[in-house]
Amino acid sequence: MKMIYQQLLAFFVVIAFIILLLGFSFSRMSKAFVYDSTWQRLENYSDSLIQQSLIINKKDNSVSFNNLSLKTSEAMLDNQSAHFTIFSAKKQVLFPNDGISTNITKSDWNSIKNGRIVRKISNRSKKMNDGKTRPAMIEVVKPYYYNKKLVAAVVTGSFVSNLNSNVKRINRNLLVGLVVALVISMVVSLFLASRMNRRVAKLRSAAKQVANGNYDIQLPNRGNDEISQLIGDFNHMTSSLKEANQEIERQEERRQEFLADAAHEMRTPLTTISGILEGIRYDVIPTEARDKSFELMNSETQRLIRLVNDNLDYEKIRTNSIQLDRINFNAYNLITNVVEQLSNKAKDAGDELIIKSPKELPVYADYDRFSEIIINIVNNALQFTENGTVTIIGERGFNETIIRIADTGIGMSEEQKRNIFERYYKADASRRSGEYGESGLGLAIVHQLVKQHGGTISVQSTLDEGTTFIIVFPDEGHSKSNPDSENQAKDIKDGK
Ligand SMILES: Nc1ncnc2c1ncn2[C@@H]1O[C@H](COP(=O)(O)OP(=O)(O)OP(=O)(O)O)[C@@H](O)[C@H]1O
Ligand SMILES: [Mg+2]
């Protein structure tokens, strides 16, 4: 069954049940009200009857009734569809003896003798002794006392049929009201159900579009009900999917770039080697050029080996299959070694290499991997800085060691900053190969290594002004972040 019909049925059942319940109790209430007010009216008739026609002889305390007054009252009450019978204290009918007068039952008589007023309904019509039919009546039996002695009892009654017509009229009005309420509530519930259905249908068609690959879809969302919350979640889901999709596309682009890069990187040395081998085979290389040719072949082979090794290394670190041998050592000594190693390269680039660090700079890291991280970043700094300075700043933080490597080189754009930790990313694609054989793997490896150390790496850079890399190594037992956490990787990417 469609949802709208289910909802309508549910609404209908609830509303019909409530209306039935209300109708039943209202009808009972109105009936009780009509009966009550009739009894009250009959009591009033009875009282005024006694007031007007009872005569008391004060000498002997005997009572009698003014017959004329009674007849007038009888005629008047007849107009009101009311009848009365007066009984003496000895239960004899005093007025009128017309055959349709009620009999007071034994229990009624006992009650009135005790001063109680009896209200009763005789629902069924009765056949009297004289053959006349006495219709169903509503009656009050009320006793009257003089000097604490029962002097008379009056039975006043009215035909139940008169009352029922009143009750029926009230019930009819009630029924009309309830039917109108039922119709209005059905219209309102139809409106609400169809509104909800329209929103669900919109969600369905949006979900279909997402399934077909359209992640741009965002549904308008007003209100605060469950469907609105679902729409909010849906919008959130599509924007996450969109981001994920963009990330996949970015990765794919990077992969394709890498394939082109890798092919190019490998083709150049392979072409060189193949050319030299051809030369040797056909003996066309002059003797004096042979040594140089072997040297070239060797350096090209080294470059290929490095490319393959870097790739393997990156995969190993990324998949957590390298073992870090972390120890506490003085990073200052290591930094001075690195500076010494790279001093020639600095000289070639016209750069000045400066160390700013206390002589004691404890760090908790894998010695070789730490050295690899520093060499990689300093290498980059020298590579992208000409006639400038590269400063290595070492300092202690709160339970951590912070290394900053700042250069005054070419700097990076925001886009470059976002991508440098990606594998095979090279900001300047035209510099495909150089003296140092760039493959775009250096920072990707560094990033993974720092992550494995439980540390963080971030970059601050301005185009044409320079770049600063900040690496934080936590002390033993103070690794703040889970090395595998995605958030951390994101922080690194965002340069936070
Ligand atoms: N200090 C820097 N200043 C400017 N750009 C930099 C700096 N360091 C890195 N980059 C940019 O980031 C890119 C990625 O660096 P990464 O070290 O990963 O690769 P690479 O140096 O090109 O190659 P590899 O290190 O594998 O030989 C570089 O190509 C360069 O564009
Ligand atoms: Mg590099």
Side-chain angles (χ1 to χ4, degrees):
M1 194 174 5
K2 276 200 156 188
M3 210 167 100
I4 185 162
Y5 298 127
Q6 290 178 27
Q7 284 169 340
L8 275 180
L9 188 70
F11 281 140
F12 181 80
V13 169
V14 171
I15 292 166
F17 179 72
I18 291 172
I19 281 178
L20 264 174
L21 208 70
L22 278 178
F24 182 68
S25 52
F26 267 123
S27 130
R28 285 196 64 136
M29 249 169 63
S30 59
K31 195 170 174 184
F33 174 75
V34 168
Y35 276 48
D36 225 47
S37 57
T38 306
W39 273 317
Q40 194 58 51
R41 188 165 50 91
L42 290 174
E43 272 182 43
N44 292 343
Y45 288 161
S46 173
D47 287 347
S48 60
L49 199 72
I50 290 297
Q51 263 174 22
Q52 282 166 22
S53 51
L54 185 71
I55 304 160
I56 295 167
N57 191 342
K58 287 188 178 158
K59 278 181 197 155
D60 57 358
N61 275 351
S62 65
V63 293
S64 61
F65 286 90
N66 180 337
N67 229 27
L68 186 66
S69 165
L70 284 177
K71 289 248 184 246
T72 325
S73 297
E74 186 184 29
M76 250 169 59
L77 289 182
D78 218 30
N79 276 343
Q80 310 281 326
S81 305
H83 304 270
F84 66 91
T85 310
I86 300 175
F87 289 85
S88 71
K90 287 179 180 146
K91 217 177 158 187
Q92 284 164 338
V93 176
L94 298 177
F95 184 89
N97 207 353
D98 58 2
I100 63 164
S101 307
T102 356
N103 275 332
I104 300 182
T105 62
K106 225 178 182 175
S107 71
D108 292 348
W109 193 253
N110 283 340
S111 296
I112 59 168
K113 269 171 123 181
N114 290 328
R116 285 202 292 273
I117 298 167
V118 179
R119 292 174 158 189
K120 56 185 194 169
I121 302 164
S122 50
N123 266 326
R124 258 179 273 141
S125 44
K126 275 186 202 157
K127 264 237 152 76
M128 304 305 285
N129 296 340
D130 57 3
K132 289 183 183 170
T133 315
R134 190 175 163 275
M137 300 281 281
I138 172 168
E139 291 170 321
V140 171
V141 187
K142 192 167 180 181
Y144 290 92
Y145 291 85
Y146 181 70
N147 277 349
K148 294 184 179 167
K149 267 177 72 186
L150 181 71
V151 289
V154 179
V155 181
T156 29
S158 184
F159 298 123
V160 167
S161 55
N162 291 344
L163 297 190
N164 281 350
S165 71
N166 278 349
V167 172
K168 269 184 198 153
R169 209 181 60 235
I170 293 174
N171 280 351
R172 209 180 308 124
N173 287 344
L174 197 67
L175 191 74
V176 171
L178 293 180
V179 168
V180 170
L182 187 70
V183 170
I184 291 176
S185 54
M186 282 315 289
V187 170
V188 171
S189 60
L190 181 71
F191 169 75
L192 288 178
S194 63
R195 182 168 168 263
M196 197 181 286
N197 263 41
R198 271 200 310 277
R199 294 163 80 198
V200 172
K202 263 191 203 159
L203 255 175
R204 251 190 86 196
S205 83
K208 267 189 197 157
Q209 291 196 45
V210 171
N212 290 334
N214 176 9
Y215 304 120
D216 284 326
I217 200 152
Q218 286 284 309
L219 291 174
N221 194 9
R222 287 179 293 274
N224 201 21
D225 58 8
E226 279 79 357
I227 300 253
S228 301
Q229 285 166 0
L230 184 62
I231 291 175
D233 292 342
F234 178 85
N235 286 343
H236 185 67
M237 182 192 77
T238 51
S239 50
S240 301
L241 277 173
K242 191 177 169 183
E243 271 173 31
N245 200 45
Q246 281 169 348
E247 181 59 26
I248 290 170
E249 278 170 9
R250 223 158 63 91
Q251 295 283 353
E252 177 59 18
E253 228 171 76
R254 195 77 61 245
R255 199 183 64 82
Q256 283 176 1
E257 262 173 34
F258 162 67
L259 282 178
D261 280 359
H264 188 91
E265 296 283 340
M266 289 184 182
R267 198 171 49 200
T268 319
L270 285 174
T271 316
T272 316
I273 295 166
S274 145
I276 298 169
L277 285 175
E278 285 281 282
I280 295 169
R281 189 175 169 194
Y282 295 108
D283 208 12
V284 290
I285 300 176
T287 330
E288 63 274 16
R290 277 197 173 207
D291 279 353
K292 216 178 161 210
S293 297
F294 282 124
E295 209 173 284
L296 190 60
M297 225 158 76
N298 185 40
S299 75
E300 293 299 86
T301 315
Q302 291 305 322
R303 232 173 101 180
L304 277 175
I305 291 171
R306 182 181 170 244
L307 195 70
V308 173
N309 280 346
D310 278 358
N311 262 300
L312 290 177
D313 205 23
Y314 175 86
E315 277 309 321
K316 268 196 210 148
I317 301 166
R318 197 179 65 85
T319 54
N320 238 342
S321 47
I322 55 148
Q323 190 68 41
L324 288 183
D325 186 14
R326 283 202 263 180
I327 50 166
N328 284 302
F329 60 91
N330 187 0
Y332 178 79
N333 295 340
L334 187 144
I335 291 169
T336 42
N337 282 347
V338 169
V339 167
E340 228 165 81
Q341 264 181 53
L342 296 176
S343 59
N344 278 341
K345 189 176 174 181
K347 216 182 281 168
D348 291 348
D351 292 333
E352 191 186 352
L353 258 172
I354 306 167
I355 303 176
K356 280 187 186 167
S357 164
K359 295 244 164 359
E360 282 294 325
L361 184 65
V363 69
Y364 179 65
D366 180 305
Y367 190 89
D368 292 335
R369 295 298 187 176
F370 179 83
S371 147
E372 189 179 340
I373 292 167
I374 304 295
I375 290 177
N376 241 306
I377 295 177
V378 177
N379 238 327
N380 278 350
L382 293 173
Q383 212 170 322
F384 300 105
T385 310
E386 258 176 43
N387 304 323
T389 52
V390 174
T391 317
I392 307 170
I393 306 150
E395 60 191 23
R396 286 286 303 158
F398 186 65
N399 294 327
E400 59 196 16
T401 304
I402 305 160
I403 312 281
R404 291 169 211 271
I405 297 163
D407 65 54
T408 55
I410 59 172
M412 284 181 247
S413 66
E414 288 298 318
E415 155 87 16
Q416 288 169 356
K417 266 198 285 184
R418 260 201 305 281
N419 290 310
I420 48 168
F421 296 109
E422 300 277 351
R423 190 148 61 138
Y424 313 121
Y425 180 80
K426 285 189 274 181
D428 184 359
S430 65
R431 288 182 315 101
R432 283 180 191 280
S433 61
E435 199 182 338
Y436 302 100
E438 302 115 48
S439 60
L441 277 166
L443 284 180
I445 292 173
V446 165
H447 169 202
Q448 292 297 336
L449 280 176
V450 174
K451 224 168 112 173
Q452 295 296 319
H453 276 86
T456 57
I457 178 166
S458 55
V459 60
Q460 294 166 349
S461 185
T462 315
L463 263 182
D464 299 327
E465 282 185 18
T467 307
T468 304
F469 281 90
I470 302 143
I471 319 155
V472 177
F473 289 92
D475 285 351
E476 191 170 3
H478 288 94
S479 189
K480 274 177 238 158
S481 43
N482 170 10
D484 295 326
S485 133
E486 279 305 308
N487 290 341
Q488 187 197 353
K490 199 167 179 291
D491 284 354
I492 290 171
K493 244 189 260 165
D494 295 347
K496 280 183 202 159

